């Protein structure tokens, strides 16, 4: 407990490591490939991963509280499906958005209640949530449903010009707003600090008289909401709804959060770390696509290795 | 023990009866060319890989662990075997390929065991590494292609018959061996001791690390056999989709079978029932004409129902009400 | 202390039973404003249970708690806190990952515009810390500070609200002398402000230094309430651990004291572990019962764990049969013929979900490895033998150990080690919390084992018991071995030593 933590920045070390990793990966790309070090490549990192950033923000809450949410990928798929089917049925866009967000939050609420009330491991409950959400997709339609709604398409294709000729999409703006709100909630509200307290030491938090029950359920609601929102962003990105969208995305989100320096045991970590984690994953993909001859499966292997390295680092930090 | 198996057994019987109502011929067996066919045989055959993986998972869970990497390991096994076999049709090549695949799986199990028992990393996280990287490795082996083979000997493993489908026989053989080894040696007892109370076991002199290491290696080898079975059944190795989500099904089977995720006492019979329930559920959904993908909804319902029945808190809530009324 | 003000807390006739244990029986307790009140008793006396009943963790089965004259029934620690009862536990129950200020104020933090007003929070935290004379940066993270400071932060949290009653449950067990002095200074400040302080500590010196009044519990029952000034150490210790009247006299005859001559089986030379027990020398001969006497926290268990390799010593050597042995863990100790039955039966002893049979053979099976199972016949013979020899009930080898009574569980644990035929058997509180019949049987067994040549290290909180069966008594105080007496020593003499009155200097101090 003492030796390393005597120095203040020790809790920032993992995040700093992630930022260094990102800079190194990006620097390596810039050095090797022409056109890599452009503003648009960075912008594309955000455009292509906006939904993952939102997912990682929600996942950060859950992991900080000491839990885990395996359902996020499936909830993304369900959200794309509800969006596509709703629009096809002629619902107005605001209603679709509201319905999607409501479904995601409700699923999160239900899982949170089961986890807390019945003391069943989050892993199993959210695994059931994962099955349920996937299955519900196929109840709506087994086929992919494309989105033809013009408002939706306009938003999806709209580009926002930034100085320097770089363009981003509305997805990026939404993702960044989510991150800002998440940072505020985690660091500036009682709820956010209680999330850290519960993750740090749940029985202490209870003895300190903090509302642990509300907090533990709350993080799953937030994660459910973020998954639904990420699903909307994914619908904008893919312009279709499909039960096989976002397969395994929960692992990407977890990986991003862990690589971003959040302790899987809970209590330590930052939303911004998760964002950098997403950017690292995105950069690896970009690197591999620039490289051309390296195949896409290297992404998975590299992510696995990174996970391992960060877990090992966390392990030594926890042991001290 | 008997109590714990009662619910799964009832669930299985109910599912089977439902099938009987929907397809009256469900229980009928017929022999054709010395091969046995029928609804029940199909359930067993299709459930064989899940059962195999669930057997390994049972022992891992009994030590308070979990192995998320089994699906990826299964994919690697299929990939290694198929790539080694290539275009050859010789039985020798097939056997060497399978032995290579299983040896690699054992290595991967050692790796998981090293992370869990050696470094003391939480099992969920430790095996998440291989779950993520494993499919990449499988694709590395197959170079991203779906490798098809045409090898008679290899085909026997997953699609062959010795009166019954070979897959069933292999799964039952492994079940028998595990049951025999855990009962006849002290392994079963020591696994349970480590799972129930690791500290007491340490103070009693149990080598808990070796035990944990052993179960992860066993789980990986089981996953390997399942992977060979899956790939042999279609004579191809699909690194992306072979054994996808099978780890979840296996965990589900173990939990339905009454083994607690908190470790400790386990039931191989329970796991067998659990695997059968899951497979029958899938078959049922298929036969009553719902899209097969919707099985997931039913699985979700089953998971939650079973967990609620087993959760001490839910039980307490129920029994509390019973006690509270008369007093 | 005069009795003029009415008590702020009054508990009357509190009884509470857990499955199989009567934790509290008809206990009365009073706490006055502006006093430090020590709650005394050994493990299992009911101190924690009484505190938890006061702070809303447990609800009593019968009895009434009143706070400032009003009857109360708290259903959670939160409610008790609201009513002005704050608790600081032995283990710092704060969140090391949050800042000091958050740990003090989270849950009642100053807010601005819906968010936490951090500057105001830090200012407020600094004020509270200043009140108890602690000057650290409220913005720093709690985990950066040593445990002692964390303990003070916990007190700061407790008094940040309007706190009428402050419960300190063994707050000093991990503090050094300077830190204890600091804590006491703070306690005096609070006491003089009129806060009623309930203080639990197993260090008698501290109790005498700080407390005004004390309540003594033993086996869940009230033994007495005294002004600290009125009761001397000997009386107090006698009340806590002394005369267990009317039982077990029979053992006395069987346990003939004898000076055991013969080769030394296990010898510790300067064996020690920092923070657990200071380096000590100890010889244990075959056929000898060595008793360890001392209060809770005197290092009894720690000494035993070092001999068994359950913890690693950081100094000294251990010799078995005159040859140095490096204990890398329990396995090497077991191989050397040492067995250890932990005081924590549930946590470190039994495997509750396994059968009597499996628990019995666990240690022997572990020594053989999983590939060489005990043959069924041998197993059955062993199980049958020990079920009978120790009178374990139910005599059904397949019964799960969790369903057994405490006494029978203890016997199963004992039997597990007897099966391995150890040369040195370490028994840490083998008779705690079990009924009188089982107790007598276990004591009888120890005597028999010694007569057959086994060396026994016997630890018990009950002095009577130690004195009765030990051939030699080692006395521990404050994590140090302070004396070694022969078995004919009387209880009073040992009490004297533990109390530290006329303590002889430790005959050998190795440092």
């Amino acid at each position: 407990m003492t030796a390393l933590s005597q120095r203040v920045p020790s809790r920032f070390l993992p995040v700093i490591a992630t930022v260094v990793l990102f800079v190194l990966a990006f620097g390596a790309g810039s050095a090797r490939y022409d056109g890599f070090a452009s503003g648009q490549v960075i912008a594309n990192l955000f455009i292509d991963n906006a939904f993952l950033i939102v997912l990682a923000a929600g996942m950060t809450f859950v992991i900080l509280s000491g839990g885990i949410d395996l359902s996020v990928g499936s909830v993304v798929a369900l959200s794309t499906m509800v969006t596509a089917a709703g629009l096809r049925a002629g619902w107005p866009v605001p209603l679709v958005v509201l319905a999607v967000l409501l479904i995601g939050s409700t699923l999160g609420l239900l899982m949170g209640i089961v986890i807390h009330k019945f003391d069943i491991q989050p892993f199993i409950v959210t695994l059931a949530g994962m099955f349920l959400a996937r299955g519900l997709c196929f109840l709506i339609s087994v086929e992919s449903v494309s989105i033809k709604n013009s408002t939706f398409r306009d938003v999806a294709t709209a580009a926002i010009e930034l100085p320097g000729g770089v363009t981003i999409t509305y997805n990026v703006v939404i993702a960044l707003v989510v991150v800002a709100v998440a940072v505020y909630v985690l660091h500036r509200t009682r709820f956010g600090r209680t999330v850290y307290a519960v993750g740090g030491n749940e029985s202490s938090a209870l003895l300190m008289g903090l509302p642990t029950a509300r907090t533990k359920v709350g993080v799953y609601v937030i994660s459910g909401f973020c998954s639904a929102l990420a699903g909307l962003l994914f619908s904008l990105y893919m312009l279709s709804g499909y039960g096989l969208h976002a397969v395994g995305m929960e692992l990407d989100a977890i990986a991003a959060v862990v690589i971003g320096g959040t302790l899987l045991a809970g209590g330590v970590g930052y939303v911004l770390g998760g964002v950098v984690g997403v950017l690292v994953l995105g950069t690896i993909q970009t690197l591999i696509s620039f490289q051309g001859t390296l195949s896409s499966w290297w992404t998975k292997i590299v992510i696995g290795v990174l996970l391992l390295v960060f877990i090992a680092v966390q392990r030594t930090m926890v042991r001290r | 023990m008997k109590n714990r198996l009662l619910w799964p057994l009832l669930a299985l019987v109910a599912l089977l009866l439902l099938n009987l109502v929907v397809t009256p011929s469900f229980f009928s067996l017929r022999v054709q060319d010395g091969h046995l066919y029928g609804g029940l045989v199909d359930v067993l055959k299709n459930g064989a890989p899940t059962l195999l993986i669930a057997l390994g998972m049972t022992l891992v869970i009994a030590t308070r662990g979990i192995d998320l990497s089994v699906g990826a390991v299964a994919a690697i096994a299929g990939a290694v075997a198929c790539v080694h076999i290539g275009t050859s049709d010789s039985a020798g090549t097939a056997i060497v390929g399978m032995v290579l695949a299983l040896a690699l799986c054992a290595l991967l199990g050692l790796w998981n065991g090293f992370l869990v028992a050696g470094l003391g990393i939480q099992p969920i996280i430790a095996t998440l590494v291989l779950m993520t990287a494993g499919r990449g490795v499988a694709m590395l082996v197959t170079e991203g292609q779906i490798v098809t083979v045409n090898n008679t000997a290899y085909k026997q493993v997953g699609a062959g018959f010795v009166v019954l489908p070979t897959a069933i026989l292999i799964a039952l053989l492994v079940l028998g061996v595990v049951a025999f080894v855990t009962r006849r040696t002290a392994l079963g007892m020591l696994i349970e001791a480590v799972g129930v109370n690791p500290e007491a076991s340490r103070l009693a002199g149990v080598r808990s690390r070796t035990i944990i290491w052993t179960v992860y290696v066993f789980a990986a080898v089981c996953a390997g056999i399942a992977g060979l079975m899956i790939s042999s059944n279609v004579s191809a190795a699909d690194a992306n989709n072979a054994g996808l989500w099978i780890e979840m099904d296996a965990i589900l089977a173990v939990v339905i079978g009454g083994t607690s995720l908190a470790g400790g006492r386990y039931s191989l019979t329970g796991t067998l029932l659990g695997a059968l329930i899951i497979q029958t559920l899938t078959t049922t959904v298929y036969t009553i004409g719902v899209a097969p993908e919707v099985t997931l909804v039913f699985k979700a319902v089953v998971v939650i129902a079973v967990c609620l029945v087993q959760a001490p808190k839910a039980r307490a809530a129920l029994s509390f009400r019973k006690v509270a009324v008369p007093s | 202390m005069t009795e003029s003000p009415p008590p702020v807390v009054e508990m009357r006739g509190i009884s509470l039973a857990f499955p199989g244990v009567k934790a509290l029986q008809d206990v009365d307790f009073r706490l006055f404003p502006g006093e430090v009140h020590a709650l005394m008793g050994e493990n299992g006396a009911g101190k924690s249970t009484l505190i938890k009943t006061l702070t809303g963790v447990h609800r009593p089965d019968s009895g009434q708690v009143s706070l400032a004259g009003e009857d109360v029934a708290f259903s959670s620690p939160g409610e008790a806190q609201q009513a002005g009862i704050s608790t600081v536990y032995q283990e710092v129950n704060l969140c090391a990952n949050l800042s000091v200020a958050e740990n003090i104020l989270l849950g009642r933090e100053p807010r601005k515009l819906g968010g936490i007003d951090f500057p105001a929070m830090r200012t407020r935290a600094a004020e509270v810390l200043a009140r108890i004379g602690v000057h650290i940066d409220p913005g720093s993270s709690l985990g950066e500070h040593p445990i002692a400071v964390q303990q003070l932060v916990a007190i700061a949290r407790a008094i940040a609200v309007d706190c009428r009653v402050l419960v300190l449950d063994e707050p000093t067990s991990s503090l050094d002398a300077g830190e204890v002095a600091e804590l006491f200074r703070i306690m005096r400040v609070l006491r003089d402000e009129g806060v009623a302080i309930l203080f639990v500590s197993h260090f008698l010196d501290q109790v005498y230094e700080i407390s005004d009044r004390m309540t003594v519990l033993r086996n869940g029952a009230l033994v007495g309430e005294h002004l600290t000034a009125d009761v001397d150490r000997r009386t107090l210790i006698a009340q806590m651990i002394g005369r267990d009247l009317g039982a077990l006299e029979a053992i006395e005859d069987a346990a003939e004291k004898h000076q055991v001559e013969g080769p030394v089986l296990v010898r510790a030379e300067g064996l020690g572990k920092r923070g657990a027990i200071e380096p000590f020398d100890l010889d244990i001969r075959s056929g000898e019962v060595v008793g360890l006497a001392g209060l809770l926290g005197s290092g009894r268990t720690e000494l035993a764990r070092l001999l068994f390799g359950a913890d690693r010593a950081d100094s000294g050597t251990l010799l078995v049969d005159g040859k140095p042995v490096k204990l890398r863990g329990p396995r090497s100790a077991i191989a050397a013929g040492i067995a250890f039955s932990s005081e924590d039966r549930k946590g470190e002893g039994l495997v509750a979900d396994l059968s009597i049979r499996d628990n019995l053979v666990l240690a022997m099976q572990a020594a053989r490895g999983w590939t060489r199972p005990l043959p069924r016949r041998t197993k059955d013979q062993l199980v049958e033998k020990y079920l009978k020899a120790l009178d374990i009930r139910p005599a059904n080898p397949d019964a799960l150990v969790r369903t057994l009574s405490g006494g029978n569980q203890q016997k199963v644990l004992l039997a597990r080690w007897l099966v391995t035929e150890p040369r040195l058997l370490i028994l840490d509180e083998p008779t705690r919390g079990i009924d009188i019949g089982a107790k007598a049987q276990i004591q009888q067994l120890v005597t028999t084992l010694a007569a057959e040549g086994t060396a026994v290290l016997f630890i018990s909180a009950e002095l009577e018991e130690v004195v009765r069966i030990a051939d030699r008594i080692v006395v521990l105080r404050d994590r140090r071995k302070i004396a070694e007496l022969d078995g004919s020593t009387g209880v009073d003499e040992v009490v004297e030593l533990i109390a530290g009155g006329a303590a002889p200097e430790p005959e050998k101090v190795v440092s």
Side-chain angles (χ1 to χ4, degrees):
Chain A
M1 276 300 278
T2 42
L4 246 167
S5 60
Q6 291 286 332
R7 285 173 287 151
V8 185
S10 79
R11 62 195 157 123
F12 294 120
L13 274 182
V15 186
I16 294 169
T18 315
V19 173
V20 169
L21 184 68
F22 172 64
V23 171
L24 281 181
F26 203 83
S30 317
R32 286 201 59 178
Y33 309 111
D34 289 338
F36 196 95
S38 77
Q40 192 57 47
V41 169
I42 295 183
N44 284 346
L45 278 182
F46 281 92
I47 293 172
D48 296 336
N49 293 296
F51 45 88
L52 197 53
I53 289 177
V54 175
L55 275 189
M59 185 68 81
T60 305
F61 277 84
V62 176
I63 293 183
L64 276 178
S65 79
I68 198 149
D69 190 349
L70 296 180
S71 73
V72 295
S74 302
V75 175
V76 165
L78 178 61
S79 303
T80 65
M81 205 63 188
V82 171
T83 308
L87 291 175
R88 189 175 58 178
W91 296 5
V93 173
L95 181 65
V96 167
V97 170
L98 195 70
V100 165
L101 294 180
L102 208 63
I103 292 172
S105 310
T106 312
L107 274 174
L109 177 69
L110 289 178
M111 291 189 291
I113 288 175
V114 173
I115 290 168
H116 178 71
K117 285 280 175 202
F118 300 112
D119 212 11
I120 303 178
Q121 280 154 314
F123 182 85
I124 280 293
V125 176
T126 56
L127 176 63
M130 166 180 168
F131 284 156
L132 182 68
R134 272 287 163 214
L136 289 176
C137 293
F138 296 115
L139 267 186
I140 297 172
S141 167
V142 180
E143 304 296 320
S144 168
V145 180
S146 69
I147 294 174
K148 304 209 169 69
N149 179 290
S150 56
T151 326
F152 227 73
R153 288 192 162 251
D154 289 347
V155 175
T157 47
I160 305 169
E161 285 265 355
L162 293 183
V166 177
T167 58
I168 57 169
T169 57
Y170 280 105
N171 273 2
V172 177
V173 179
I174 294 172
L176 293 180
V177 169
V178 168
V179 169
V181 172
V183 169
Y184 178 83
V185 170
L186 270 181
H187 294 277
R188 283 284 175 270
T189 67
R190 180 189 291 182
F191 174 81
R193 302 317 290 167
T194 309
V195 170
Y196 277 92
V198 169
N201 190 333
E202 189 178 338
S203 62
S204 285
L206 189 67
L207 286 171
M208 283 165 80
L210 299 176
T212 51
R214 221 186 310 153
T215 310
K216 274 175 72 188
V217 177
V219 292
Y220 290 95
V221 177
I222 288 177
S223 178
F225 176 86
C226 284
S227 312
L229 187 59
L232 284 171
L233 301 188
F234 201 66
S235 315
L236 284 169
Y237 188 71
M238 303 295 283
L239 286 173
S240 69
Y242 188 25
L244 287 179
H245 273 335
V247 169
M249 200 183 272
E250 58 279 346
L251 292 185
D252 289 341
I254 294 171
V257 171
V258 172
I259 291 174
T262 299
L263 221 58
L264 265 162
V268 179
Y270 304 93
V271 173
L272 287 176
V275 174
V276 182
V278 172
L279 294 182
V280 169
L281 298 190
T283 310
I284 293 166
Q285 257 155 2
T286 315
L287 267 175
I288 284 168
S289 68
F290 262 77
Q291 207 272 348
T293 59
L294 268 182
S295 321
S296 63
W297 51 82
W298 278 104
T299 321
K300 294 191 179 202
I301 298 177
V302 173
I303 293 175
V305 171
L306 282 180
L307 257 181
L308 178 69
V309 169
F310 275 80
I311 288 165
V313 168
Q314 289 186 0
R315 185 72 205 154
T316 52
M317 282 198 46
V318 172
R319 271 195 186 164
R320 287 178 208 186
Chain B
M1 279 307 279
K2 277 165 198 156
N3 261 337
R4 285 201 302 183
L5 293 185
L6 186 66
W7 285 107
L9 195 61
L10 284 180
L12 182 60
V13 170
L15 273 173
L16 289 173
L17 287 179
L18 182 65
N19 273 293
L20 187 64
V21 173
V22 179
T23 5
S25 63
F26 188 72
F27 282 99
S28 67
L29 298 171
R30 67 200 154 80
V31 179
Q32 194 179 327
D33 305 336
H35 299 167
L36 201 59
Y37 291 97
L40 287 176
V41 177
D42 285 347
V43 168
L44 278 170
K45 185 193 169 211
N46 296 331
T50 314
L51 173 60
L52 271 175
I53 290 184
L55 287 176
M57 192 71 81
T58 308
L59 298 189
V60 170
I61 288 180
T63 63
R64 293 193 175 183
I66 202 156
D67 190 347
L68 297 181
S69 70
V70 284
V73 171
I76 294 176
V80 169
C82 287
V83 167
H84 181 83
I85 291 168
T87 54
S88 155
D89 191 20
S90 99
T93 319
I95 290 170
V96 172
M98 290 191 276
V99 168
L100 271 179
L102 293 183
L104 181 60
C105 291
L107 267 181
L108 294 173
L110 275 177
W111 166 256
N112 279 334
F114 167 70
L115 292 184
V116 175
L119 298 186
I121 296 172
Q122 248 176 290
I124 287 190
I125 305 160
T127 53
L128 184 65
V129 172
L130 193 54
M131 183 190 190
T132 314
R135 293 219 174 258
V137 172
M139 280 191 264
L140 189 68
V141 173
T142 61
E143 295 180 329
Q145 308 295 315
I146 293 183
V147 179
T148 52
V149 291
N150 194 2
N151 185 304
T152 329
Y154 189 58
K155 212 168 163 48
Q156 279 300 315
V157 176
F161 273 90
V162 182
V163 183
L164 279 172
T166 341
I168 300 180
L169 299 177
I170 292 176
L172 291 182
L173 179 71
V174 174
L175 172 65
V177 168
V178 182
F180 182 82
V181 169
T182 50
R183 296 245 174 89
R184 280 313 173 87
T185 72
L187 188 60
M189 192 254 276
L190 294 180
I191 286 175
E192 289 189 338
V194 169
V196 175
N197 192 336
E199 181 59 13
S201 305
R202 182 181 84 96
L203 289 181
V206 177
R207 273 202 185 113
S208 22
R209 283 187 184 193
T210 319
I211 303 267
I212 291 174
W213 226 307
T214 313
V215 296
Y216 280 94
V217 171
F218 176 68
V221 172
C222 280
I225 301 175
L228 294 178
M229 212 177 258
I230 293 168
S231 116
S232 149
N233 193 29
V234 293
S235 283
D238 180 350
N240 262 322
N241 297 312
L244 192 63
W245 291 342
I246 203 166
E247 59 275 346
M248 303 301 172
D249 278 351
I251 294 169
L252 197 53
V254 174
V255 173
I256 291 176
T259 301
S260 159
L261 276 175
R265 306 215 70 162
Y266 64 88
S267 163
L268 293 174
T269 324
T271 299
L272 173 65
L273 285 177
L276 288 179
I277 288 177
I278 289 173
Q279 192 53 48
T280 316
L281 190 68
T282 314
T283 314
T284 313
V285 169
Y286 197 73
T287 49
I288 60 176
V290 182
E293 290 87 347
V294 182
T295 319
L296 291 169
V297 176
F298 293 96
K299 278 188 192 165
V301 174
V302 172
V303 185
I304 287 301
V306 169
C307 285
L308 284 183
V309 169
Q310 290 182 351
K313 263 203 172 178
R315 276 193 182 165
L318 289 174
S319 60
F320 181 73
R321 221 165 280 156
K322 273 182 212 152
V323 174
V325 175
S327 68
Chain C
M1 291 249 80
T2 54
E3 298 228 358
S4 47
V8 57
V9 170
E10 196 160 10
M11 302 173 83
R12 285 179 305 270
I14 302 291
S15 294
L16 178 59
F18 296 119
V21 196
K22 280 185 183 157
L24 291 175
Q25 295 173 58
D26 198 23
V27 173
D28 294 335
F29 177 76
R30 307 182 299 166
L31 184 60
F32 292 90
E35 74 168 0
V36 175
H37 191 128
L39 188 56
M40 305 298 296
E42 279 285 289
N43 258 344
K47 289 173 307 201
S48 314
T49 317
L50 188 70
I51 287 177
K52 285 180 175 165
T53 311
L54 174 62
T55 57
V57 178
H58 296 320
R59 300 284 287 273
D61 295 337
S62 64
Q64 183 58 50
V65 182
S66 66
L67 182 65
E70 278 175 47
D71 285 354
V72 288
F74 304 123
S75 59
S76 74
E79 275 182 32
Q81 264 173 40
Q82 299 263 305
I85 301 179
S86 295
T87 315
V88 176
Y89 298 91
Q90 173 180 15
E91 271 148 46
V92 181
N93 276 291
L94 294 177
C95 297
N97 57 332
L98 298 181
S99 74
V100 169
E102 284 173 330
N103 271 298
I104 296 175
L105 291 168
L106 200 58
R108 39 186 183 250
E109 66 284 334
R111 300 213 233 180
K112 200 167 71 182
L113 303 172
I116 298 175
D117 183 353
F118 275 95
M121 184 156 153
R122 279 195 286 273
T123 316
R124 173 99 181 81
E127 283 166 19
V128 178
L129 286 170
R131 185 174 153 204
I132 56 172
V134 178
H135 299 283
I136 53 174
D137 175 12
S140 56
S141 124
L142 183 75
E144 295 166 21
H145 298 286
I147 295 293
V149 175
Q150 296 188 20
Q151 195 74 262
L152 298 180
V153 172
I155 293 176
R157 176 174 180 90
I159 63 167
V161 281
D162 179 27
C163 158
R164 284 186 284 181
V165 176
L166 177 60
V167 180
L168 299 173
D169 190 356
E170 299 198 21
T172 57
S173 47
S174 47
L175 306 188
D176 67 26
E179 292 159 348
V180 171
E182 176 68 10
L183 175 72
F184 284 0
R185 185 187 60 70
I186 292 167
M187 283 169 68
R188 291 195 183 98
V189 169
L190 294 172
R191 177 187 65 191
D192 295 344
E193 289 176 11
V195 178
I197 300 177
L198 175 55
F199 176 67
V200 178
S201 168
H202 45 253
F203 296 109
L204 286 192
D205 292 345
Q206 296 177 359
V207 169
Y208 274 94
E209 183 184 343
I210 191 75
S211 74
D212 305 307
R213 184 191 299 271
M214 58 175 66
T215 294
V216 184
L217 298 179
R218 184 158 158 209
N219 290 331
L222 177 69
V223 180
E225 190 208 80
H226 317 280
L227 291 178
T228 307
D230 292 350
V231 58
D232 66 10
R233 290 171 188 232
R234 285 198 42 188
T235 320
L236 176 62
I237 292 171
Q239 285 199 351
M240 285 163 61
I241 62 176
R243 323 237 160 231
D244 191 3
L245 297 170
L248 309 169
E249 254 76 38
I251 301 296
E252 197 83 49
D253 312 326
E256 343 157 358
K257 307 285 171 185
H258 47 297
Q259 205 69 34
V260 179
E261 310 277 330
V264 172
L265 174 65
V266 171
R267 162 172 287 173
E269 285 179 354
L271 204 62
K273 179 176 161 64
R274 216 163 304 129
I277 179 134
E278 290 184 24
F280 62 91
D281 293 347
L282 182 66
D283 285 356
I284 304 177
R285 292 163 202 277
S286 298
E288 185 184 36
V289 180
V290 177
L292 278 191
L295 292 176
L296 186 66
S298 58
R300 301 182 308 219
T301 300
E302 289 78 358
L303 188 153
R305 288 178 67 92
L306 286 192
L307 289 182
F308 185 61
D311 298 325
R312 285 210 204 170
D314 52 19
S315 67
T317 45
L318 186 73
L319 297 95
V320 178
D321 294 328
K323 288 187 217 77
V325 176
K326 190 100 189 131
L327 292 187
R328 285 183 310 273
R331 283 187 70 83
S332 30
I334 294 167
I338 304 175
F340 170 65
S341 148
S342 166
E343 55 165 346
D344 183 359
R345 277 200 296 274
K346 286 210 180 77
E348 299 180 346
L350 295 160
V351 183
D353 274 339
L354 292 190
S355 64
I356 294 180
R357 185 202 325 269
D358 288 346
N359 269 285
L360 264 178
V361 299
L362 184 61
M364 176 171 252
Q365 187 60 67
R368 292 168 67 102
W370 68 268
T371 47
R372 295 197 305 131
L374 277 168
R376 182 78 193 197
R377 277 227 342 255
T378 325
K379 220 194 260 188
D380 285 343
Q381 281 166 1
L382 279 173
V383 171
E384 197 185 337
K385 174 178 166 196
Y386 283 101
L387 282 182
K388 197 175 283 173
L390 300 189
D391 187 27
I392 295 172
R393 290 177 207 177
N396 168 15
D398 292 315
L400 294 190
V401 159
R402 67 156 69 250
T403 60
L404 270 53
S405 73
N408 282 305
Q409 289 188 343
Q410 185 63 53
K411 288 184 197 167
V412 171
L413 186 53
L414 259 174
R416 171 194 294 171
W417 291 115
L418 296 183
V419 166
T420 64
E421 295 176 354
R423 303 167 67 201
L424 168 62
L425 178 60
I426 305 172
L427 299 174
D428 194 356
E429 299 228 29
T431 58
R432 187 208 295 167
I434 68 178
D435 61 84
I436 215 88
K439 210 176 226 180
Q441 285 172 329
I442 287 174
Q443 295 183 353
Q444 182 69 56
L445 180 75
V446 168
T447 316
T448 318
L449 281 173
E452 289 166 7
T454 311
V456 180
L457 184 66
F458 188 89
I459 306 176
S460 172
E462 284 185 48
L463 210 44
E464 288 271 316
E465 193 180 43
V466 176
V467 169
R468 197 178 308 123
I469 68 174
D471 301 319
R472 202 146 48 84
I473 301 167
V474 170
V475 184
L476 299 175
R477 191 175 70 207
D478 296 342
R479 305 189 184 285
R480 265 201 317 162
K481 176 182 168 189
I482 57 163
E484 212 172 291
L485 313 164
D486 70 50
S488 57
T489 317
V491 172
D492 296 339
E493 204 174 320
V494 182
V495 166
E496 194 82 40
L497 273 173
I498 294 175
E505 278 308 296
E507 71 268 67
K508 282 171 257 173
V509 180
V510 186
S511 48

